[in-house]
Amino acid sequence: MLYGTTKHLESYQGIHPGVMKGLEILRDTDFSKLEDGRYEVDGEDLFFFIQSYVNKPTNDTPEAHKKYVDIQYLISGREQMGVAPLEDMVEVVEARPEGDIWLHHGPTDKILVTGDRFVAFWPEDAHAPGIAVDDPEPCRKCVVKVRVK
């Protein structure tokens, strides 16, 4: 897992090139000019989507992905995300291999994502996004998907 801000991308030089390109998308894109939806950058190897939603009080099914690094960035709003090593998950509760998502049960620690902060989750990272900080609030998020397998 990588937790940082878009202000310090030079610190990540040498990281997986697709992940670096994804981070640069977060830094360089004016998301106010884009509608919610999917945007392809390099086909299935690198794409992002923008979504608007109201976050929820809890998320008790952390997710993980086997093929993609999942970079999450709040365009507006704020939320907490549960995070944990995948090996800390106690069971798979739903598998959707066609969408590269596995939902689990297991303990997580929470981090705050807001402002220019992003979180990049590798296949060994479980994450439970969309958790309200206080009361549920509207959010707009960009999720960059980078194929690593």
Side-chain angles (χ1 to χ4, degrees):
M1 179 183 85
L2 178 63
Y3 179 56
T5 71
T6 57
K7 292 177 186 168
H8 304 288
L9 293 190
E10 68 281 351
S11 299
Y12 308 118
Q13 293 297 325
I15 200 167
H16 183 283
V19 172
M20 191 66 200
K21 191 170 184 180
L23 295 174
E24 290 168 347
I25 288 168
L26 298 180
R27 181 193 62 202
D28 299 339
T29 302
D30 181 354
F31 293 108
S32 68
K33 296 182 179 181
L34 298 177
E35 300 288 327
D36 286 6
R38 180 180 161 135
Y39 297 86
E40 290 194 16
V41 178
D42 189 15
E44 292 299 310
D45 290 335
L46 177 63
F47 61 92
F48 66 93
F49 57 89
I50 300 173
Q51 59 191 52
S52 297
Y53 58 93
V54 175
N55 55 25
K56 298 183 182 329
T58 62
N59 179 346
D60 62 356
T61 53
E63 64 188 63
H65 313 285
K66 294 184 179 183
K67 296 179 185 175
Y68 288 91
V69 168
D70 200 14
I71 308 171
Q72 300 204 12
Y73 176 79
L74 269 287
I75 298 165
S76 63
R78 59 196 181 121
E79 70 179 43
Q80 296 181 89
M81 293 185 189
V83 298
L86 185 56
E87 63 263 20
D88 288 357
M89 297 297 102
V90 296
E91 68 179 325
V92 175
V93 294
E94 185 177 345
R96 294 184 235 148
E98 69 285 350
D100 190 44
I101 187 167
W102 283 259
L103 301 177
H104 300 81
H105 281 155
T108 62
D109 296 313
K110 291 192 177 62
I111 59 172
L112 177 66
V113 183
T114 189
D116 68 343
R117 297 179 192 174
F118 66 85
V119 187
F121 298 105
W122 266 256
E124 63 271 11
D125 301 319
H127 52 288
I131 303 169
V133 174
D134 296 311
D135 294 320
E137 64 182 271
C139 292
R140 190 160 191 246
K141 179 189 286 182
C142 176
V143 178
V144 179
K145 305 292 277 186
V146 181
R147 185 190 298 270
V148 291
K149 295 186 179 183

